[in-house]
Each structure stands twice: as structure tokens, then as C-alpha cells.
Amino acid sequence: MSSYAFWNNKGGVGKSFLCFVAAAEYAHRHPDTDVYVIDLCPQANVSETILGGYLNSPKALHSLSSKTPRATVAGYLEARLNSPFRMITDVSPYVCEPREFNPQIPENLRLICGDNLLEIISEAIRQTSQLSIPNDAWKQVLNWIRDLTISLRIYSGERDTVFLIDCNPSFAIYTQLGLVAAEGVVVPFTAEESSLYAIENVVALLYGITDPNTAPYAKISFAKRAKEEGVSVPKLYAFVLNQVTMYKSRPASASLAINKMIQKTLNDIHQKNRHIFANPKDLPSNSFIEISSESLIEIPAYHAVAIVAATTGTPLHKLKPGPKKIGEQQVQLYPEPLQRYRDALEKFVNYL
């Protein structure tokens, strides 16, 4: 696979941060590959981090959104609204070279920047998809971001390309565009009971697989229409257990109990619906506790690492242990948690 959507129907699971560290580490380890991050979240969190962190990115974001056309994903989608059923071959105006704003980012990492305008134009995108002419208007609009990836491959020429698409937790039209553009879905989640429902929602919204109480809604679902109109739907590629609470180097008992519940949910879904998984022969629970390069990967607690990386836009391979000053706050980055998180992310990056 060469295109991955980072998505969960629940917010606050570390999705955008995971997308950032995965993109930066993959680009660092594969200098001959162009790594594109497409930010389809109106909050533009992954763009903020890539462009220098929460403290340094506002100037960069303003610069990109002030260009004509806007050098953002909303700028590209505005152009598609003006010409809905014809691909844009020259997408260079919408491509950002993050290294121009944040020298810590690898040269081969490129960004289609997020933009809060995305929320404003979403209704226009949805209405365009509902046009009666042409007959396949919905299918063509749903493929707008997939078209973008095709044009970006042309833009990269002979170089290999990988796409990491950060999606909003909602199932809005722009989220659907991002998911359709991906081959696989990475589902980050936390050891909370609400993650159970979030995973069930992912399966229901994307594939129309749901319980008897909500089965009637499956008849009018995205999944049904996608199947009828031949719109590609990505497979479930990886489940990433994020922010694991540790006690004496082991996950806390409360987290373990919830993990078992999530493990059973995933196994039950897999048993009945293997076709929605990228690796249908592999049981998701096989690597649930032990970190390995299987379909379910466990990422240890990372609070100090995340604070430093997210606020400064520093990739993991650039982070060094020691005291860090974040604004007026002093943060201590200890070697062991940093290395543990690096090791976990290395397993995840190897899996991409």
C-alpha cells in the first residue's frame, strides 16, 4: 500500500500527532521517496506541527492561506468546485515544502496544508456531489482527493510516493474524500471504553456493518452507495493503541481490562467480516499486547515527548533527552520514555 488515511470517529486519540511522527520518520528513513501529508482536518493540527509547532506555525499558515490560489487543501478543493468534473493536472500551487518554514523536517516530506475554510466550503462540495447531471457526479466528487494523489505522483516524476491523509473525526464529506483516496485505514485509539464504540462506528460508517437496531440505516449508507457506484473503499490496515498508561513498565490494570474488551470486539468483527481488513488472514489480536509489526500496534505513553515534538515541530529522530523550554514552561525529556516511544514508532513505520 502507498496511501493511508488516519481516522477514528472519536477525537482526542492522538491521530494527528501519530500522522506527523509517522510521516517525518518515514521520510527520514526513505530519502528517495516523496512523502505527502494531506491534511483534511479543518483544525489543521498536523499542518501546525509540521510547519514548526503550535508556537511557530501561525505565520506559515497565514502565508499559505493568503496566496492566490490558497496553497492549501481548501484551495485545491475550491478549484475543483469551479471545475467539478475535470482533473487538475498542475497541482503545484497547492503543494507546500515544509522545510522552508521548519528546517527540522526532511526535504522529501511535502504537505497539502489544512485550512479552516474546509468547513465553510464543505456544503458546496456536498451539493456538487448531489447534482443529477452527470449521472456519476457523486462518484466523481468523492474521487477529488484521489485525483489529487494521481496528480501528485505525476508531480514527483520518477520518485516513489507515499500518502498519509489526516482525516477529521466526523464523517463529513471532506472526511469521505480522504478515506476514498486511501488504500488502507490506520485507526488510532486509546484504552477507554468509548474507543469500543468508536471502532464500531468506523466499521458501520465505512462498510455499513452494524447491529440489528441500526440495520435499516445501512440501506441508505455511504457504504451502500459506494458499492453501487463503484467507489473504492479502503481496507482496515492497522489499529494503533495510543497513550498506554504504564505501571512498573506494564500497562495499568484498568487499561488491560479495556484492552481485552477492545481485543474481543476486533476479533469478532474480523471473524464475520474478514473482507474489510487489509490482511484478512491475520487475527487483529495476535499482536495486541506485545509490540510487533502486525495489524494492532501498541504505542506507550508519550506525554512529554508529544508536548516537545508538537509545540516545536521536531521529528522524533531529532529529539534529544534533557530539559526543554516550551514558552514559559520547563519540560524534562527523559531518555527511557523517549527511546521507548521511538522503538514503538519504528515498529509502526516498518509496517507502512
Side-chain angles (χ1 to χ4, degrees), residues 4-19 40-41 43 165-172 174-176 178-179 184-206 234 236 238-243 262 266 296:
Y4 306 90
F6 287 66
W7 182 55
N8 191 323
N9 192 226
K10 177 183 182 298
V13 295
K15 168 184 60 63
S16 295
F17 184 70
L18 182 66
C19 183
L40 277 168
C41 189
Q43 288 74 37
I165 305 168
D166 191 34
C167 297
N168 188 264
S170 72
F171 201 55
Y174 47 79
T175 300
Q176 296 173 21
L179 291 165
V185 183
V186 175
V187 185
F189 65 96
T190 52
E192 302 170 285
E193 191 170 354
S194 57
S195 284
L196 275 172
Y197 307 117
I199 289 173
E200 290 171 347
N201 283 355
V202 165
V203 173
L205 291 167
L206 199 49
L236 294 174
F239 297 89
V240 182
L241 179 55
N242 219 351
Q243 304 177 46
I262 296 173
L266 286 170
L296 194 88

Side-chain angles (χ1 to χ4, degrees), residues 67-93:
K67 291 185 177 182
T68 305
R70 299 168 79 96
T72 67
V73 71
Y76 166 78
L77 291 171
E78 276 191 299
R80 291 309 304 259
L81 282 168
N82 291 327
S83 181
F85 309 115
R86 185 175 62 189
M87 277 186 63
I88 298 173
T89 53
D90 180 14
V91 293
S92 59

Side-chain angles (χ1 to χ4, degrees), residues 64-330:
L64 295 171
S65 62
S66 298
K67 291 185 177 182
T68 305
R70 299 168 79 96
T72 67
V73 71
Y76 166 78
L77 291 171
E78 276 191 299
R80 291 309 304 259
L81 282 168
N82 291 327
S83 181
F85 309 115
R86 185 175 62 189
M87 277 186 63
I88 298 173
T89 53
D90 180 14
V91 293
S92 59
Y94 314 106
V95 180
C96 166
E97 303 286 348
R99 196 176 175 87
E100 294 179 7
F101 302 97
N102 181 5
Q104 300 184 97
I105 295 297
E107 290 183 20
N108 56 321
L109 195 159
R110 291 169 170 170
L111 173 68
I112 310 299
C113 187
D115 191 333
N116 58 10
L117 183 66
L118 189 60
E119 193 71 69
I120 297 172
I121 66 173
S122 63
E123 179 59 20
I125 296 172
R126 191 194 67 79
Q127 288 186 19
T128 303
S129 74
Q130 300 303 315
L131 292 174
S132 56
I133 298 175
N135 293 334
D136 63 345
W138 187 79
K139 178 179 181 179
Q140 289 201 50
V141 171
L142 265 288
N143 277 305
W144 279 358
I145 297 299
R146 178 182 283 271
D147 292 345
L148 174 61
T149 65
I150 293 170
S151 296
L152 289 171
R153 286 192 177 99
I154 296 170
Y155 180 75
S156 286
E158 298 298 319
R159 291 174 61 83
D160 289 337
T161 54
V162 169
F163 299 92
L164 278 66
I165 305 168
D166 191 34
C167 297
N168 188 264
S170 72
F171 201 55
I173 185 71
Y174 47 79
T175 300
Q176 296 173 21
L177 265 62
L179 291 165
V180 167
E183 297 169 281
V185 183
V186 175
V187 185
F189 65 96
T190 52
E192 302 170 285
E193 191 170 354
S194 57
S195 284
L196 275 172
Y197 307 117
I199 289 173
E200 290 171 347
N201 283 355
V202 165
V203 173
L205 291 167
L206 199 49
Y207 307 107
I209 298 168
T210 184
D211 61 53
N213 293 327
T214 55
Y217 297 104
K219 297 178 181 179
I220 56 172
S221 69
F222 163 88
K224 182 175 184 294
R225 188 165 187 180
K227 185 175 182 179
E228 290 173 348
E229 299 203 24
V231 170
S232 177
V233 178
K235 304 289 187 181
L236 294 174
Y237 186 76
F239 297 89
V240 182
L241 179 55
N242 219 351
Q243 304 177 46
V244 179
T245 303
M246 304 297 287
Y247 176 71
K248 293 184 179 179
S249 300
R250 295 178 63 85
S253 58
S255 296
L256 280 172
I258 296 173
N259 292 350
K260 288 181 179 179
M261 294 169 63
I262 296 173
Q263 177 180 356
K264 183 179 185 306
T265 298
L266 286 170
N267 286 347
D268 289 347
I269 293 171
H270 176 269
Q271 183 179 10
K272 299 175 183 177
N273 306 282
R274 296 188 179 190
H275 63 284
I276 68 174
F277 290 82
N279 300 298
K281 294 182 179 180
D282 297 335
L283 200 63
S285 62
N286 285 346
S287 58
F288 189 79
I289 299 299
E290 183 178 355
I291 298 174
S292 67
S293 56
E294 296 294 334
S295 61
L296 194 88
I297 301 161
E298 182 178 335
I299 304 296
Y302 68 105
H303 298 92
V305 177
I307 290 171
V308 175
T311 53
T312 62
T314 306
L316 285 187
H317 65 271
K318 292 272 190 177
L319 281 179
K320 299 183 185 301
K324 312 291 179 183
K325 190 171 184 180
I326 308 298
E328 299 301 319
Q329 184 180 1
Q330 194 83 0

Side-chain angles (χ1 to χ4, degrees), residues 27-46:
H28 174 65
R29 294 170 58 182
H30 300 87
D32 295 328
T33 298
D34 285 342
V35 178
Y36 288 95
V37 174
I38 301 176
D39 189 351
L40 277 168
C41 189
Q43 288 74 37
N45 291 329
V46 71

